[in-house]
Amino acid sequence: DAKGGNISIDVLVNGKRAYKINGGLNVVFPYENKGNIIATVNEDGSETTVTKHIIADKKHYAVLSGSAEIKFIDNHMEFKDSKGHWGENSIKYVAVHGLYQGVGDGLFDTDGIMTRAMLITVLYRLEGETKTRYKHSFNDVHNEQWYNNSVAWANENGIIKGVTDKLFDLDAEVTREQAVTVLYRYAQYIGMDIYCEEEFTQFEDDGEISVWAKDAAIWALSNGIINGKPGNIFDPAGNATRTEVAAMIQ
């Protein structure tokens, strides 16, 4: 139903509106609905961006948690260092959906290296920043810091672990094989099918991929989540940039 330009989506269970559906609710809208993001309208009038949303084949595809009132919003963002960059579309996607923030002065920091804290925070935002309180025992993860809830959520759900029982190592730079491994575990967490028939990646440096990252690398390559580098290499130990991870997520 349309209400004042907004769209109300009602899922009824035993005659009652269901706001939480296991696995989420997949919805599709024609692109005639203007705007490049979808937001849910909360009871107090505030808005929450739907992070699991793409535009393809002239349609909006999104995953909602359940019944909701939604609206389409035009939320274009530009960064001075992303114009003409190979990852420009991916940068726009993660920025307009609130998954990434710029670094200030109109810059995205396209070649900046992803850290463990940054990567987990992006996935936590993608998951909708659940309000459930998770616990951790890391001495370097402090309460009320921007990374606290995301680290605790990811650790408790097996998406990433600390480097020891007491140390998370927030600012450690993430390698390409570490990035795809974290995304692989996140895919398992949300119930995606991760089965792949392939046993190797066909990259020239396939033998350099760590044993613990091999399944994730095969999955990421098979699903178009990551591409190789010039010379047909995966570069497993190379650092993952902010733009590279944005492209993986998109």
Side-chain angles (χ1 to χ4, degrees), residues 59-94:
K59 295 178 182 178
H60 292 271
Y61 297 86
V63 179
L64 306 178
S65 58
S67 297
E69 181 179 344
I70 67 168
K71 66 186 299 184
F72 292 87
I73 300 174
D74 194 12
N75 184 30
H76 288 288
M77 298 181 69
E78 300 285 346
F79 296 100
K80 291 185 289 188
D81 57 341
S82 67
K83 188 173 180 60
H85 192 279
W86 66 264
E88 183 175 5
N89 289 337
S90 298
I91 290 170
K92 287 181 178 179
Y93 175 84
V94 295

Side-chain angles (χ1 to χ4, degrees), residues 121-134:
T121 298
V122 168
L123 292 182
Y124 186 57
R125 290 170 179 163
L126 180 61
E127 196 56 24
E129 296 185 277
T130 172
K131 302 302 181 183
T132 303
R133 300 297 297 182
Y134 295 97

Side-chain angles (χ1 to χ4, degrees), residues 194-214:
I194 58 170
Y195 174 75
C196 291
E197 293 184 355
E198 292 81 358
E199 297 182 356
F200 53 90
T201 64
Q202 297 184 347
F203 288 120
E204 294 293 331
D205 57 350
D206 180 83
E208 298 176 20
I209 301 173
S210 299
V211 173
W212 50 263
K214 185 60 71 73

